[in-house]
Amino acid sequence: MSIEIDREKCVGCGSCVGICPGGLIRLDDEKACIPQPERCWGCASCVKECSEEAIALFLGEDMGGLGGRMTARQEDTLLFWTLTRPDGTAQTLTVDRRDSNKY
Ligand code: SF4
Ligand code: SF4
C-alpha cells in the first residue's frame, strides 16, 4: 500500500510533510517525495491534505484493487473522493464531513 505523488501538480506547500504521522514525506527541490513508500500504511491523511490533488492513494492488489488511484478534494464540509481506474475512467464519491460519524 502506498501513495503516489505527482510532482507536476505539487506546488511545494509542505502541508503533507507535517500531516504524515510517520514522517514519511519530505520536500526535495521544493516538491514532495516519499523516499520509502513501502513504509506507508495508507492512512490517506496526506491525500486529503493536499489541495492540489497531487497525492493519490494507489489501489494495488494488496488492497483488492487493480491499480487504480484515489485522490481527494475538499470544499467546505464536503470531501470529494475521485477513483480513477487503470483504463482512465473515473468516478467521484461525495462525503459530507458532518455525517462522518454515520459511517
Ligand atoms: S500538500 Fe500537495 S502541493 Fe503541498 S507539498 Fe504536499 S504534494 Fe505538494
Ligand atoms: S498515506 Fe498516511 S502514512 Fe502514507 S504517506 Fe500519507 S500520511 Fe503518511
Side-chain angles (χ1 to χ4, degrees), residues 3 19-22 24-25 34 40-47 57:
I3 58 162
I19 204 78
C20 177
L24 302 176
I25 305 175
I34 178 164
C40 167
W41 60 91
C43 71
S45 296
C46 58
V47 177
L57 196 62

Side-chain angles (χ1 to χ4, degrees), residues 18-96:
I19 204 78
C20 177
L24 302 176
I25 305 175
R26 297 181 192 159
L27 286 183
D28 175 34
D29 266 346
E30 300 184 358
K31 300 285 184 180
C33 66
I34 178 164
Q36 295 177 291
E38 70 279 5
R39 293 184 59 198
C40 167
W41 60 91
C43 71
S45 296
C46 58
V47 177
K48 291 185 283 186
E49 185 71 12
C50 181
S51 61
E52 307 302 315
E53 293 185 72
I55 305 179
L57 196 62
F58 179 67
L59 305 173
E61 288 183 14
D62 56 337
M63 292 185 71
L66 297 172
R69 286 150 177 79
M70 212 162 183
T71 55
R73 176 172 57 86
Q74 296 190 52
E75 282 180 28
D76 297 323
T77 64
L78 298 179
L79 187 58
F80 302 94
W81 286 100
T82 298
L83 169 65
T84 304
R85 302 180 186 90
D87 66 5
T89 59
Q91 182 176 358
T92 299
L93 308 172
T94 305
V95 176
D96 191 325

Side-chain angles (χ1 to χ4, degrees), residues 1-18:
M1 182 182 299
S2 184
I3 58 162
E4 289 183 344
I5 300 172
D6 185 333
R7 289 174 68 90
E8 295 292 316
K9 291 183 179 175
C10 176
V11 297
C13 69
S15 295
C16 56
V17 176

